[in-house]
């Protein structure tokens, strides 16, 4: 994995699916599922929170395996619990669990009504925290399905505490034309000198907000997945020392210099806030550590840094404006500290 001590100046400008797996054994009978319809709401303009991009509305809910959903037992003794949640006219929905424990050999799936987007199986092998945030699912109805073989003796824990209604289509599921001129794509030939630094830049989904961030190195050179972003990106969404379910997307960039779309296949969910300072008392920053490191095959770069007070002669800004693929901007003036 590549790493180096380099200067990286990142602009934290307004910013933000995984590869999904098909599964032939998920239930096919939609008539036997409890459906929860969320209430209507008023969209709040981004101008009220202009330094981070608000893509959706967050519903606080309390929906779990003990108070909602439908159980069914197959002839083989397998128990299946299903719950459907809809929020009318959503481009996509995001399900967030504040309690999750999956017994060994059980499986959890999350999918949309058309079943063209299915996440899972989630199991005890890949859910290690006691909270979890699923990726955005296309459409205005999502189904949560838990499958438990007869041999399972441990008690499952599942509780959903929030649903995000995406009203901006941040992942461009519906292929609407976009043209946001906020710099040039990082794959352009003119940005070749900053290829490594570009690979450190992350697209964060912070509950109903998005922002840019960077994967950064440390003096031990041990690839601890530290993430640097801005305080104004995470303010009010987590507390110092607390675990959160922010989602970190890597390699979200256009494959061409002129393109306006990129992949959302590569993501890591979950982190802890280690340090922060708001703009009123110094630098506007937040330092987090992800629950797990991005796989080496994603080609992540751990950006270097320096505490030297002298500024570099060249600086660039690499960021995700709203949901756009990675962009780069060039500063024609000397940097200042």
């Amino acid at each position: 994995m590549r790493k180096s001590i380099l200067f990286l100046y990142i602009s934290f400008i307004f910013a933000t699916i995984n590869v999904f797996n098909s599964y032939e054994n998920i239930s096919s009978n939609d008539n036997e599922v409890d459906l929860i319809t969320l209430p209507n709401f008023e969209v709040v303009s981004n101008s009220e929170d202009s330094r981070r991009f608000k893509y959706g509305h967050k519903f606080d809910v309390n929906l779990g395996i003990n108070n909602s959903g439908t159980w069914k037992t197959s002839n083989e003794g397998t128990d299946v619990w299903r719950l459907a949640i809809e929020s009318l006219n959503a481009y996509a929905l995001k399900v967030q669990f504040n309690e999750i424990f999956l017994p060994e050999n059980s499986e959890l799936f999350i999918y949309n009504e058309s079943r063209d987007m299915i996440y899972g199986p989630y199991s005890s092998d890949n859910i290690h925290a006691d909270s979890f945030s699923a990726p955005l699912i296309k459409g205005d109805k999502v189904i949560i399905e838990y499958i438990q073989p007869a041999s399972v003796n441990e008690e499952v824990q599942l509780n959903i505490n929030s649903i995000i209604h995406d009203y901006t289509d941040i992942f461009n599921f519906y292929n609407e034309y976009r043209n946001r001129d906020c710099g040039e794509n990082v794959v352009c030939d003119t940005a070749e000198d900053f290829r490594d630094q570009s690979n450190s830049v992350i697209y964060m989904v912070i509950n109903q907000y998005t922002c840019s961030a960077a994967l950064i190195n440390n003096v031990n050179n041990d690839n601890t997945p530290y993430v640097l972003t801005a305080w104004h990106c995470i303010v009010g969404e987590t507390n110092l020392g607390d675990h959160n379910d922010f989602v970190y997307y890597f390699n979200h960039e256009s494959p061409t210099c002129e393109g306006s779309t990129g992949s959302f296949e590569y993501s890591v969910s979950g982190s802890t806030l280690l340090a922060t300072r708001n703009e009123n008392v110094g630098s506007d920053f937040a330092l987090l550590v992800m629950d797990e490191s991005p796989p080496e095959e994603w080609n992540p770069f751990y950006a270097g840094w320096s505490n030297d007070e002298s500024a570099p002669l060249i600086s660039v800004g690499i960021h995700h404006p709203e949901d756009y693929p990675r962009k780069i901007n060039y500063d024609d003036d000397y940097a200042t500290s």
Side-chain angles (χ1 to χ4, degrees):
M1 186 173 293
R2 298 180 298 170
K3 45 194 177 289
S4 179
I5 299 298
L6 298 172
F7 288 105
L8 177 64
Y9 280 64
I10 296 180
S11 65
F12 298 110
I13 302 175
F14 337 126
T16 243
I17 124 166
N18 267 342
V19 176
F20 49 87
N21 301 309
S22 62
Y23 186 61
E24 61 184 9
N25 292 327
I26 61 175
S27 300
S28 59
N29 189 351
D30 275 334
N31 296 321
E32 298 183 31
V33 59
D34 188 12
L35 173 64
I36 304 295
T37 301
L38 300 174
N40 295 328
F41 63 91
E42 182 179 354
V43 175
V44 178
S45 170
N46 268 301
S47 62
E48 297 185 18
D49 198 357
S50 60
R51 293 194 306 160
R52 56 180 176 177
F53 181 66
K54 186 174 183 180
Y55 73 90
H57 176 80
K58 181 180 179 182
F59 290 100
D60 292 322
V61 298
N62 180 30
L63 301 171
I65 211 154
N66 295 319
N67 64 9
S68 56
T70 304
W71 281 99
K72 183 179 180 181
T73 303
S74 71
N75 293 334
E76 295 77 25
T78 298
D79 291 323
V80 178
W81 175 84
R82 300 173 70 232
L83 173 65
I85 301 171
E86 70 174 357
S87 185
L88 297 177
N89 300 317
Y91 287 106
L93 294 174
K94 182 176 177 62
V95 181
Q96 303 191 144
F97 298 83
N98 64 332
E99 295 179 15
I100 184 166
F101 171 74
L102 301 176
E104 189 174 356
N105 298 322
S106 66
E107 295 177 328
L108 178 70
F109 294 87
I110 303 172
Y111 52 93
N112 59 3
E113 186 175 27
S114 62
R115 288 176 170 78
D116 62 351
M117 187 167 287
I118 301 170
Y119 285 94
Y122 297 111
S123 69
S124 58
D125 293 333
N126 49 34
I127 299 290
H128 305 294
D130 56 6
S131 61
F132 172 68
S133 179
L136 278 161
I137 302 284
K138 179 182 178 181
D140 62 3
K141 182 185 289 186
V142 62
I143 296 96
I144 301 95
E145 180 165 317
Y146 170 71
I147 302 174
Q148 179 174 289
S151 59
V152 172
N153 295 317
E154 292 182 284
E155 184 177 352
V156 60
Q157 295 179 26
L158 285 175
N159 196 76
I160 301 165
N161 67 324
S162 61
I163 303 290
I164 310 296
H165 171 126
D166 173 13
Y167 52 72
T168 58
D169 194 15
I170 60 167
F171 286 166
N172 199 25
F173 286 137
Y174 294 89
N175 298 314
E176 295 178 357
Y177 176 74
R178 301 175 178 208
N179 183 21
R180 184 170 175 82
D181 186 14
C182 289
E184 65 182 32
N185 289 336
V186 296
V187 299
C188 295
D189 291 342
T190 51
E192 181 60 32
D193 289 344
F194 303 98
R195 181 70 261 171
D196 285 338
Q197 290 88 345
S198 295
N199 284 341
S200 75
V201 176
I202 302 167
Y203 178 52
M204 289 179 65
V205 175
I206 307 161
N207 297 326
Q208 68 269 43
Y209 299 99
T210 67
C211 244
S212 297
L215 185 67
I216 65 169
N217 210 340
N218 66 79
V219 294
N220 291 328
N221 233 24
D222 60 7
N223 294 348
T224 301
Y226 291 116
V227 173
L228 181 66
T229 187
W231 167 82
H232 69 256
C233 290
I234 57 92
V235 60
E237 302 304 314
T238 190
N239 296 313
L240 199 64
D242 287 353
H243 182 267
N244 57 69
D245 295 307
F246 301 163
V247 182
Y248 300 87
Y249 290 90
F250 290 79
N251 300 327
H252 177 43
E253 63 183 35
S254 169
T256 66
C257 186
E258 301 299 327
S260 61
T261 61
S263 171
F264 286 100
E265 293 182 18
Y266 312 101
S267 68
V268 174
S269 178
S271 61
T272 300
L273 179 62
L274 301 179
T276 188
R277 178 175 291 175
N278 69 51
E279 59 189 344
N280 297 321
V281 292
S283 180
D284 177 0
F285 84 92
L287 179 70
L288 305 101
V289 60
M290 294 191 295
D291 291 351
E292 56 182 302
S293 299
E296 291 190 21
E297 56 265 29
W298 295 1
N299 200 29
F301 183 78
Y302 291 72
W305 50 272
S306 172
N307 62 1
D308 191 329
E309 292 185 1
S310 60
L313 297 179
I314 299 173
S315 62
V316 300
I318 305 172
H319 65 123
H320 290 284
E322 296 182 1
D323 60 328
Y324 275 71
R326 288 190 287 221
K327 300 280 189 178
I328 187 168
N329 301 88
Y330 301 91
D331 185 7
D332 295 326
D333 302 315
Y334 288 105
T336 59
S337 176

